[in-house]
Amino acid sequence: MASNLDTLVTVFGGSGFLGRSVVRALCKRDYRVRVAVRRPELAGYLQPLGRVGQVHTVQANLRYPASVEAALRDSHVVINLVGVLTESGAQTFDAVQSKGAETVAKAAAAAGSTLVHVSAIGADAQSPSRYARTKAAGEAAVLAAVSSATIFRPSVMFGPEDQFTNRFAALARMSPVLPLIGGETKMQPVYVGDVASAIADAADGKAKAGATYELGGPEVLTMREIIETILEITDRKRMLVPLSFGLARVQAAFLQFAPGAFKLTSDQVTLLERDNVVSEAAKAAGLTLEGLGITPDSLEAIAPQYLWRFRAAGQFQRMSV
C-alpha cells in the first residue's frame, strides 16, 4: 500500500487561521504539503508543523493565473482555503472568493488534480451580503470547472488564533460595555481543528465527490449566548447593549476604518441578520461532520484552553461558579 508521502497536496491559503490547522492535519497523515501563499517568506512558522522537508512554501496570488498554475504543478490534491472577511485594496470579495476560486479550479482541472474547496455556510447568490454572494459564485465556478470537487461550508470557526472569540474577549478586556448586534441570530460555532480533520478526510478520499458539506459544532447558540460564554470563560462581567441593525450600519460607516477588534463593516452587519447553522437538508444527506465520522467539539470545551489569557489573573484565576 502506497504511503501518503507519495502524495503531494497543495494548499492555497495555508498560512491563515484555518490553513495552519489544515497543514498540521495533513502532516500528521504523512502527506507532502506545498503551501501556496502571497508572501512565503512570512510563512516560516509552518515548517515545524511537519517533519524536515515535509512542508514547502511557494509564492502564488489568485489574481495571477500563471502563479496558481505553477504552484499546483504535479499536485495530486489541491485545497483552496483562500477567503477574506473584509476587503482591502485589490483583495476584494470578487477577486478572491469568486474569480480567485475559479482560477484555482481551472488550474486543478487542467492538472487533473482532486479539488477541495472551502466556502461558508450562508453562501447564497441572492444574499444581500457581497461576502455571501461571492462565496456562492466561487462555489458555482468551482463545480463548473471540476464537477467532482468537494465543497465544505463551515459555520463561524473558533480556535486559538481566531478573529471571533479572541475579538470579543479583547473588547471585554478594554471596555465595560459591549455592543450586541444580532443578539438573537443563531450560529453553530465549529472548532477549527474539526474542520481541518474534515478537509484531511477529503484528501484521504473519504468525502463524497461533487458534494457540498455543511460543518457546524454540536450546539446552536445565539450571538448573545456566545458572548456570554466568552465572558464566563474570561471571568469578565460586562454590560451587553443591544444595537439595531440600522444603528449598527451607521456605526459601521465609521468603524470600517478602525483597527483590530474595533473594525466593523456594513457587510458584516448584513451577515448577522441571518442565522448561520447547518441545514436540515445537509443533516438528512449526511453531509456534515458527523456524516464523516467526526464528533465535533463544543465552544465550552475548547475555548478555555486559549481564552484564559484574557482573564485578569491569567490561567491561574479561578473560574466563577
Side-chain angles (χ1 to χ4, degrees), residues 81-214:
L81 309 176
V82 182
V84 290
L85 295 173
T86 58
E87 297 176 302
S88 176
Q91 298 298 104
T92 65
F93 291 141
D94 185 59
V96 175
Q97 297 175 170
S98 178
K99 294 176 182 177
E102 182 179 25
T103 297
V104 173
K106 286 183 175 179
S113 306
T114 297
L115 178 61
V116 180
H117 177 75
V118 175
S119 181
I121 286 181
D124 181 359
Q126 305 304 317
S127 173
S129 161
R130 288 182 296 111
Y131 173 89
R133 289 199 304 273
T134 54
K135 282 291 189 181
E139 291 183 6
V142 164
L143 292 175
V146 185
S147 61
S148 60
T150 299
I151 295 175
F152 287 112
R153 291 178 170 182
S155 183
V156 60
M157 289 182 284
F158 65 88
E161 300 97 7
D162 71 33
Q163 296 182 42
F164 180 55
T165 60
N166 284 285
R167 177 182 185 178
F168 287 110
L171 286 172
R173 185 167 58 182
M174 293 183 282
S175 173
V177 177
L178 295 181
L180 181 62
I181 305 169
E184 300 310 309
T185 300
K186 295 182 178 65
M187 297 187 176
Q188 201 165 342
V190 60
Y191 175 47
V192 67
D194 293 332
V195 176
S197 293
I199 294 169
D201 280 350
D204 288 343
K206 297 177 182 177
K208 296 179 182 178
T212 298
Y213 286 78
E214 296 186 9

Side-chain angles (χ1 to χ4, degrees), residues 181-245:
I181 305 169
E184 300 310 309
T185 300
K186 295 182 178 65
M187 297 187 176
Q188 201 165 342
V190 60
Y191 175 47
V192 67
D194 293 332
V195 176
S197 293
I199 294 169
D201 280 350
D204 288 343
K206 297 177 182 177
K208 296 179 182 178
T212 298
Y213 286 78
E214 296 186 9
L215 311 181
E219 297 177 308
V220 173
L221 303 170
T222 65
M223 177 61 81
R224 175 182 290 275
E225 290 171 332
I226 291 171
I227 296 178
E228 287 175 344
T229 298
I230 294 170
L231 291 174
E232 182 178 358
I233 290 171
T234 57
D235 200 35
R236 301 278 182 179
K237 292 178 172 59
R238 297 292 184 262
M239 179 183 297
L240 301 182
V241 179
L243 290 184
S244 67
F245 291 115

Side-chain angles (χ1 to χ4, degrees), residues 190 194-195 198 213-217 287-296:
V190 60
D194 293 332
V195 176
Y213 286 78
E214 296 186 9
L215 311 181
L287 300 176
T288 61
L289 284 172
E290 292 84 352
L292 289 168
I294 298 171
T295 301

